[in-house]
Amino acid sequence: MRTLTFHFAASQAPATQVHVGVVASGDLEVLLDTPDGTPEVAEVRVRTSVDGFDTVWRETLERFFAHTPLGGRWQLNDFGATPAVVTLRLRQTAEAATEGRS
Amino acid sequence: MTIVDWQAVLHRRSFLEGDALVRARTLLDPDGVQVLCGPFDRIESPWLEPQGIVPQSDDGVVIARGTIDGHPVVVASIEQGFQGGGTGEVSGAKISQALRLACADTRNGRATAAVLLLETGGVRLQEANLGLNAVAEICSAVLELRSGAPVIGVVAGEVGCFGGMSIAAGLCTRLIVTPQARIGLNGPAVIEQEAGVDEFDSSDRALIWAVDGGERRTQAGLADTLVPDDSDQLRAAVSAAVAAGVPAADDLRSRRPDALAARIATARPQPPAPVDVTATNDSRGRIWLASLAHAAPTEVAPSVLRADDPDVTFLAVVPDPSSPFHRARHGEVGLTEAWALAVAIDDVVRADAEIDAKRAIVAVVDLPSQAYGRIEETAGLHQAIAVTVDAYHRARTSGHPIVAVVVGAALSGGFLAHGLQAQQILALDDPGVQIHAMHESAAARITQRTVDELERLAKTILPLSFDVRDWAQLGMCDGLLTVSDADHPTAADVAVVHDAIHEAIAAARIGPRDLSNRLDSPGAVRNRKASRTIRSTMAEQWTS
């Protein structure tokens, strides 16, 4: 198991707490909580069952937050999801967190 | 010729494809659903991360409160994707506390039914002894609630309902299954691993569904309602079961030792092959039963002994090398043993029905496990053990002090049947005493570790340990007794255990008649903090 922490610049805060996904084989759970202080930061904590993919995590997350600068406290509990599944879950979370806003 | 309504098939919404929350919401009325101890409460299992396993924020169980067609209900929905739906300390505590809170509401005049979505491989072996205890507490909580409000079990599929939680399924007021569902105490892979491919070929899917499958279980009377994997039909079946309320006691599967006897009679075991007759008369269960009781032991069955002193009945499961059930010859709890224990307990309860000072029941525990066998699963060993658990619970709640004294092995389903429903549990402080969810080599294989790795982890992860002194710290041990010879007890050894039993009986008489004292014990305060957090957090959220 590996624990990783990242910080990304953000310009938007989530309207609500969001929980998606399951810590199931090939999948992950995402919890997005409203920010503690500054909404300009997305604080991402990853726990993954697979060691040795730190770079892949960084790049996957960088790409996502470049498109979607959504702040708050992100917790990702991963059980071997591929980057595509990770991105899908992140998008699903962002969609739910900003729903109802135009 | 049957005409298939293809439109209906095409528009069917799958129930089992949803995650735990979706399945719970599918059953509940849309308004006023309250999720208790949810993901953002972040009450995770404290035992997984130190083992290098990623935890889930709700530990894989969704507790959702609401109504079903207007009836107050709490749904406990197990997430099959997380650790195979395995019951750990936190996930188990969530289910038992939800049942207890529903029971409290029911007693206060607001009957609250429970729906258990039992998609589970059984005890989570990474939390072994705490998972095993959690199952015992769930069983007790199901029985507490079941007398006042229905407890509906649903097994939809994918993982099935195996291990200790299948006993909880056997205790439900009503059980609803799909054709994809499987229910059994020992899963096919576990039987193959324990008893060989001749006993159970776990690659034979047809065989598996012919033994454990939802259709088969319904035909055999071990489940009530068979519905296709269709959310609307499942909801209708659950709603009807909730609306039907509490049935007569005779209508409950786990209250029917007679029906169990009939199933055993049709089990047609193989004629006994020649077996070694060694190690039968020196079974610790037999020796300690004979030493502790003043009265001579009598056979309820060749493998279940009973000894009746004036105020105590002792019960023990012992080896029977000539049992027709070849997987239950070494002291395992099989069909006959589960039935005989229930019959003996019922007999004690009936005899004391009119008496205020009810006699104590002492379970002398020395069990290598439950019986791992195809015949056992076909006849429904999970249901047989549910009958035993129900009998122990009935004796306890009607005022009989129940004490277990572990003198040898106390493994998994065997201990759930005979021992873990006691108010007070004593154990000998002896290397031959092993209390666990599964024996070491099997637990190592299933959690994909070597035995060495498992032993290393067990040194720091308390519930994994096979050492009885570690088990005694988990908050369910009421006395660890020092004896000089656990195999051949001296008079002084017997006196020590005898005195401890009588102290335990006295404590049980004045203590609660449920298992709630376990979570208040000093051991639990230290080592079951997460369970205690669940208890307080859920109670707070429930009233708000």
Side-chain angles (χ1 to χ4, degrees):
Chain A
M1 197 186 105
R2 188 96 176 92
T3 303
L4 309 164
T5 307
F6 302 95
H7 291 91
F8 299 98
S11 57
Q12 221 187 335
T16 170
Q17 287 181 328
V18 180
H19 174 245
V20 300
V22 173
V23 189
S25 185
D27 202 348
L28 78 161
E29 173 189 51
V30 180
L31 289 91
L32 172 58
D33 215 341
T34 46
D36 265 338
T38 50
E40 290 83 31
V41 174
E43 181 194 332
V44 186
R45 190 167 167 257
V46 178
R47 288 185 292 187
T48 172
S49 59
V50 194
D51 295 353
F53 285 82
D54 301 17
T55 315
V56 178
W57 275 106
R58 168 166 292 286
E59 286 174 0
T60 305
L61 292 169
E62 263 173 8
R63 189 168 300 174
F64 173 77
F65 283 99
H67 281 287
T68 318
L70 181 61
R73 287 173 291 154
W74 297 73
Q75 168 79 51
L76 278 58
N77 297 323
D78 167 59
F79 216 66
T82 61
V85 172
V86 173
T87 306
L88 179 86
R89 288 290 186 207
L90 291 172
R91 281 190 182 175
Q92 205 182 346
T93 309
E95 198 176 286
T98 53
E99 235 167 35
R101 291 188 192 172
S102 56
Chain B
M1 196 182 101
T2 47
I3 296 166
V4 176
D5 180 353
W6 287 107
Q7 286 306 316
V9 172
L10 289 171
H11 289 101
R12 200 152 88 179
R13 282 185 307 130
S14 169
F15 181 77
L16 67 89
E17 282 174 17
D19 64 19
L21 179 62
V22 168
R23 285 197 294 265
R25 282 194 179 277
T26 299
L27 297 179
L28 289 164
D29 297 339
D31 294 330
V33 176
Q34 183 196 11
V35 174
L36 303 159
C37 294
F40 287 96
D41 290 310
R42 300 181 200 248
I43 310 173
E44 297 178 344
S45 161
W47 309 105
L48 295 179
E49 209 169 341
Q51 299 180 51
I53 299 166
V54 179
Q56 180 161 303
S57 56
D58 62 4
D59 204 37
V61 166
V62 173
I63 304 294
R65 211 178 149 206
T67 54
I68 295 181
D69 292 330
H71 296 277
V73 162
V74 63
V75 179
S77 178
I78 299 175
E79 177 51 65
Q80 59 193 357
F82 177 62
Q83 295 294 328
T87 306
E89 181 196 353
V90 170
S91 62
K94 286 174 80 169
I95 299 172
S96 56
Q97 293 309 325
L99 289 161
R100 290 174 60 84
L101 289 163
C103 190
D105 272 9
T106 302
R107 285 180 181 159
N108 290 331
R110 187 177 193 264
T112 301
V115 179
L116 308 179
L117 307 186
L118 299 166
E119 314 295 336
T120 168
V123 170
R124 189 185 292 166
L125 287 174
Q126 291 85 352
E127 304 183 26
N129 271 327
L130 283 177
L132 193 67
N133 178 66
V135 170
E137 292 184 2
I138 290 168
C139 287
S140 175
V142 166
L143 289 165
E144 288 278 331
L145 176 58
R146 199 187 64 176
S147 56
V151 180
I152 312 303
V154 178
V155 185
E158 301 289 319
V159 168
C161 177
F162 287 105
M165 289 302 277
S166 67
I167 301 170
L171 296 170
C172 286
T173 310
R174 288 289 176 265
L175 196 52
I176 297 166
V177 297
T178 67
Q180 287 89 339
R182 295 169 295 160
I183 304 170
L185 186 66
N186 299 303
V190 174
I191 300 176
E192 182 181 313
Q193 176 183 290
E194 292 298 304
V197 72
D198 288 343
E199 184 66 31
F200 208 125
D201 180 354
S202 69
S203 68
D204 186 343
R205 291 176 64 85
L207 172 67
I208 294 169
W209 265 268
V211 171
D212 297 315
E215 279 180 60
R216 175 69 202 127
R217 291 307 194 199
T218 314
Q219 281 165 4
L222 296 174
D224 300 284
T225 314
L226 180 72
V227 285
D229 172 30
D230 174 323
S231 292
D232 296 332
Q233 292 192 49
L234 257 157
R235 189 183 198 281
V238 170
S239 177
V242 168
V246 178
D250 267 3
D251 208 11
L252 295 163
R253 212 170 272 115
S254 64
R255 291 290 289 269
R256 298 296 299 272
D258 55 327
L260 170 59
R263 276 199 305 280
I264 297 173
T266 59
R268 273 180 269 156
Q270 311 295 316
V275 283
D276 64 285
V277 279
T278 54
T280 55
N281 286 326
D282 55 358
S283 119
R284 283 191 180 182
R286 193 186 296 273
I287 289 168
W288 277 96
L289 180 89
S291 312
L292 289 167
H294 299 293
T298 56
E299 286 185 356
V300 188
S303 51
V304 175
L305 302 183
R306 149 179 197 176
D308 297 278
D309 282 356
D311 53 353
V312 184
T313 291
F314 293 87
L315 290 170
V317 177
V318 297
D320 171 19
S322 54
S323 168
F325 295 95
H326 66 281
R327 297 294 306 158
R329 284 175 175 160
H330 303 94
E332 298 92 348
V333 174
L335 297 165
T336 313
E337 293 70 29
W339 169 82
L341 285 167
V343 165
I345 298 160
D346 271 348
D347 182 53
V348 171
V349 173
R350 213 175 304 115
D352 282 4
E354 307 296 326
I355 303 170
D356 283 339
K358 302 197 186 285
R359 63 173 43 238
I361 298 175
V362 174
V364 179
V365 182
D366 175 25
L367 313 152
S369 66
Q370 70 277 22
Y372 295 97
R374 189 181 66 228
I375 299 165
E376 279 77 9
E377 291 308 319
T378 308
L381 183 55
H382 68 286
Q383 190 60 56
I385 291 185
V387 170
T388 316
V389 168
D390 194 330
Y392 265 120
H393 180 268
R394 200 157 58 249
R396 170 157 52 72
T397 49
S398 59
H400 294 268
I402 314 287
V403 174
V405 52
V406 184
V407 298
L411 288 186
S412 76
F415 197 30
L416 284 172
H418 184 56
L420 273 174
Q421 286 299 319
Q423 285 133 300
Q424 297 271 317
I425 305 179
L426 308 170
L428 303 187
D429 184 6
D430 177 78
V433 172
Q434 276 217 339
I435 300 175
H436 219 268
M438 191 175 269
H439 67 79
E440 206 167 18
S441 54
R445 273 194 294 270
I446 287 175
T447 56
Q448 299 178 336
R449 293 165 169 151
T450 64
V451 171
D452 286 347
E453 280 170 341
L454 188 63
E455 280 180 356
R456 216 166 25 250
L457 278 169
K459 288 201 177 88
T460 51
I461 315 283
L462 208 56
L464 274 184
S465 172
F466 283 80
D467 187 334
V468 69
R469 290 181 185 176
D470 291 333
W471 172 81
Q473 295 178 49
L474 294 173
M476 55 208 87
C477 178
D478 300 284
L480 198 55
L481 313 175
T482 307
V483 292
S484 61
D485 189 347
D487 287 316
H488 308 97
T490 63
D493 291 340
V494 173
V496 165
V497 177
H498 183 271
D499 290 351
I501 287 174
H502 282 274
E503 272 174 44
I505 290 172
R509 276 198 202 278
I510 56 168
R513 289 183 181 182
D514 56 20
L515 304 181
S516 58
N517 60 335
R518 285 186 200 166
L519 208 42
D520 292 315
S521 65
V525 171
R526 273 194 312 278
N527 292 315
R528 287 181 69 196
K529 290 195 188 85
S531 303
R532 293 168 59 88
T533 305
I534 290 288
R535 181 171 66 175
S536 54
T537 307
M538 199 182 291
E540 265 166 46
Q541 295 178 346
W542 187 279
T543 50
S544 60

